[in-house]
Every structure is written in C-alpha cells, then in structure tokens.
Amino acid sequence: EEQLVESGGGLVQPGGSLRLSCAASGGFTFKNYDMSWVRQAPGKGLEWISSIKRDGSGAIYTDFVKGRFSISRDNAKSMLTLQMNSLKTEDTGVYFCTTGFAMLRGSLMGQGTQVTVSS
C-alpha cells in the first residue's frame, strides 16, 4: 500500500525550530511527483504552505511562511522535509504532506503530524 508518513512535530516555544519529515513507502514512486506541505489549524480548513517540483526545483511558499520555512526533498531516500524556523503561535496545527504542486490535497496524503507553538 502506498503511504506517506509525516514525523517531526511536537511542542516548541515561539521563535523555535522544528524539522518535519515525510517518508514515502509501499511502492510509491516518490521521484515522479511534485510534493506539497499543507496544514490545518485548530478549527480551520486546510491551508497550503509550500510546494516543490519533482526534481527539487521551483520551491514556492505562502507569504506567511516566506523566509521562515524551507522545503526540500531527497529522491534517493523518498523523503520530503520542511524546515521551520522562527515559529509563531499561529503556526500551530496539523501538518500534512501530499502529492501535487500548489494544491491542498493530491492523490495521496499522509496522516499528519501535530505542531504546537506555545510558551
């Protein structure tokens, strides 16, 4: 079964950092897909955060995270990452990786990892 599994979430103070990972498995040909991170804040809908092309180029970000978050991928390891720096309380939510570019939900999405930014 094709799967995307996120990890790396947790509780962090404002101004802190976290590094999220998304591991692909189950025969999913990771290198063939553009990938995105989306998040869901408490009580709200999905919000697109960042995307990257299948070859690792063309990274884009929503304005709110520009300069603070960095998306990357390692196709040899079938891994997508999101480095999050200077975290704010407003970044709290469940973070999901999904296939596709600049979209909320692609053909495959993980179960999410909780990020809580609080003092």
Side-chain angles (χ1 to χ4, degrees):
E1 179 184 1
E2 296 181 338
Q3 288 190 83
L4 296 173
V5 179
E6 301 91 340
S7 62
L11 173 64
V12 63
Q13 292 186 341
S17 297
L18 283 174
R19 185 176 180 87
L20 305 184
S21 295
C22 169
S25 64
F28 179 68
T29 311
F30 180 77
K31 64 181 181 179
N32 290 349
Y33 289 84
D34 301 335
M35 296 294 295
S36 295
W37 286 99
V38 300
R39 72 184 179 195
Q40 186 166 26
K44 297 187 176 181
L46 287 175
E47 174 187 23
W48 171 77
I49 299 299
S50 178
S51 296
I52 190 168
K53 294 288 190 178
R54 62 199 68 187
D55 65 355
S57 67
I60 55 173
Y61 304 89
T62 188
D63 285 346
F64 187 69
V65 308
K66 279 182 182 177
R68 300 190 298 123
F69 291 12
S70 178
I71 190 172
S72 62
R73 66 190 295 160
D74 185 335
N75 286 342
K77 297 181 178 179
S78 296
M79 186 76 72
L80 179 73
T81 62
L82 185 68
Q83 178 67 42
M84 306 189 296
N85 299 325
S86 303
L87 283 161
K88 305 178 181 182
T89 57
E90 305 93 296
D91 293 319
T92 293
V94 180
Y95 284 69
F96 303 87
C97 62
T98 186
T99 53
F101 194 82
M103 56 194 301
L104 289 179
R105 184 186 292 269
S107 57
L108 192 64
M109 177 179 274
Q111 293 300 305
T113 185
Q114 175 71 47
V115 171
T116 302
V117 185
S118 175
S119 55

